[in-house]
Amino acid sequence: METLYAQPGAVGLAAVQVGQALRVLVLDDSARTTRDRLRVMVNPVLESASQWKYGREGCLSFPDWLVTVKRARRVAASWLTVEGEPRAAELRDFEAVIFQHELDHLDGILFIDRMRDPTRDFSLRSGPPAAPDTP
Amino acid sequence: MVKWLIAAAGLDRPGIVAEVTRALLDAGANLEDTSMTRLEDHFAMLLIVTTPHDLTGARMEELLAPARQRFALQLSVHPVDAREVAGPRGARWLVTVSGPDQTGIVHQVTGLLAGRAINVGSLSSRRLPGDDGRPVFLMSIEAEVPEAAAADLAGALAALAQREGLAIHAEPMDEFRL
């Protein structure tokens, strides 16, 4: 949580991104630090998914990359709280996308692994590279 | 440094890309963005390349001549302005169109986009046999939609779809900062 809120605009983080081999993720789709929308999920499970759409995603682990990925805009998720209480919710839109992105981290899948075609689906926030020097 | 736009097309056979790019390598060219694909029985190549600035158009044509002759290619080579690459002009949208094949589909859809100053970033289409023997036309467009054009775009495309008997799906590609 501290790492999530230390990154301006960050909305989700998986434990493996901060060196912890735990099936834990945090998400907060408000991108603010008030923690009203914070969810801490232990052993999260994607129960069902629908309304698939393409979108462009960044990732805290690759700050300059933008990748086009197809994600469900409705997911049913279940998880345990830190205290071990079972929870379930339907997540929508941005929150659903964050959940899938972070859950992928826990399964060793990066957003680039979900890319269909790098010549079309990959771009840099900083724009294309300058032409190489040719004599 | 000179930037060139090269277009080549001919009946599809193994070796077209290898021969054309060998000639470009001999010209000292660096390949930048390219699009090469088979269109029915033909293979079409579009390439942006940069070369040292002392390379003339005549020399470029001369280097490409063996590939052109071997594969009977239609070939064109033009120097282009080496401008900075422009970023997208607006939000990215995906537009997919399908329906019974008829003349005018691409023009109708892209005319609607052009009328709203919407730039087409990529477009590809295929004609497939339909279940009932009537060919089906499929088209996929990635477009850059200025903010002012976004509000009524879906409605305008829906009206066009209704009028022309097409299925048109258009949606902005969300950008997520994770």
Side-chain angles (χ1 to χ4, degrees), chain B residues 3-4 15 24 41 48 59 69 71 77 96 101 131 137 144 146-147 158 163:
Chain B
K3 196 168 270 215
W4 305 80
L24 294 172
D41 292 335
I48 295 276
R59 176 68 181 142
Q69 281 155 19
F71 294 103
V77 178
T96 55
D101 189 35
D131 290 339
F137 189 77
E144 299 153 4
E147 202 174 333
R163 200 168 64 238

Side-chain angles (χ1 to χ4, degrees), chain B residues 96-98 102 108-109 112 154-169:
Chain B
T96 55
V97 179
S98 61
Q102 63 196 45
Q108 300 261 17
V109 175
L112 187 152
L157 286 168
L160 175 66
Q162 173 88 22
R163 200 168 64 238
E164 300 295 327
L166 301 168
I168 303 183
H169 184 76

Side-chain angles (χ1 to χ4, degrees), chain A residues 55-56 58 73 101 125 135, chain B residues 1 30 52 174-178:
Chain A
R56 300 212 304 155
R73 296 300 194 266
H101 180 109
R125 290 189 201 278
Chain B
M1 208 171 62
N30 188 56
D174 297 324
E175 188 164 315
F176 298 115
R177 297 200 158 248
L178 289 159

Side-chain angles (χ1 to χ4, degrees), chain A residues 18 22 28 35 85 120:
Chain A
V18 291
L22 299 169
D28 180 340
R35 306 197 178 195
E85 298 287 328
R120 186 172 55 176

Side-chain angles (χ1 to χ4, degrees), chain A residues 89-103:
Chain A
E90 187 194 54
L91 310 182
R92 292 166 169 255
D93 301 318
F94 189 24
E95 195 176 33
V97 171
I98 302 165
F99 175 77
Q100 292 163 84
H101 180 109
E102 304 309 335
L103 189 63

